[in-house]
Amino acid sequence: MTLSQVSSRFGALAGASVISATLLFVAPQAHAASSGPYYKVELAQPAASKQELLRSVFVKCEGTSCRAPMASTAPKNMCISIAREFGEVSAFSAGDRVFTAEELAACNGSKKEVIAKN
């Protein structure tokens, strides 16, 4: 084995070690920072129940404020689910995105459409 072959193998090993260390220590920290509430909701009326499983995440409510971690669904679908389960939504945000009045009306309107069909 020549010196250049040893050097290239050592370089590949060092590179793999750096990548492994990065994934081991940095990636979990990035996830931990984002594990807080992603969805923040204000309801028009206090919620009757304190916690419900919606779209694979627990939505927790205290009075008119609800919080939930990120789900693997579109924010509008989460808003609709919360409106159906807890009642009229007066404010909704998903991360940095704050829903407009039109988007809130669409969330709340979906609940009315379901009731009208029944």
Side-chain angles (χ1 to χ4, degrees), residues 18-19 22 46 67 78-79 82 96 98 111:
V18 169
I19 290 172
T22 301
R67 304 286 183 261
M78 181 57 87
C79 185
I82 290 171
D96 294 335
V98 178
K111 180 180 180 181

Side-chain angles (χ1 to χ4, degrees), residues 68-105:
M70 185 186 295
S72 60
T73 188
K76 69 175 185 164
N77 293 336
M78 181 57 87
C79 185
I80 290 168
S81 295
I82 290 171
R84 285 180 182 166
E85 186 64 36
F86 293 105
E88 184 178 344
V89 174
S90 58
F92 183 89
S93 66
D96 294 335
R97 179 179 173 210
V98 178
F99 273 36
T100 65
E102 294 81 23
E103 290 171 313
L104 290 174

Side-chain angles (χ1 to χ4, degrees), residues 14-117:
S17 297
V18 169
I19 290 172
S20 296
T22 301
L23 292 175
L24 182 64
F25 295 108
V26 176
Q29 299 303 321
H31 176 68
S34 66
S35 64
Y38 179 75
Y39 300 106
K40 296 177 184 171
V41 184
E42 287 298 320
L43 302 172
Q45 300 292 322
S49 63
K50 301 275 186 201
Q51 178 174 302
E52 293 292 332
L53 181 63
L54 300 175
R55 302 209 171 254
S56 301
V57 297
F58 281 102
V59 178
K60 297 178 184 177
C61 297
E62 287 186 22
T64 59
S65 294
C66 299
R67 304 286 183 261
M70 185 186 295
S72 60
T73 188
K76 69 175 185 164
N77 293 336
M78 181 57 87
C79 185
I80 290 168
S81 295
I82 290 171
R84 285 180 182 166
E85 186 64 36
F86 293 105
E88 184 178 344
V89 174
S90 58
F92 183 89
S93 66
D96 294 335
R97 179 179 173 210
V98 178
F99 273 36
T100 65
E102 294 81 23
E103 290 171 313
L104 290 174
C107 289
N108 294 319
S110 293
K111 180 180 180 181
K112 293 173 187 169
E113 290 173 15
V114 170
I115 292 171
K117 289 179 183 177

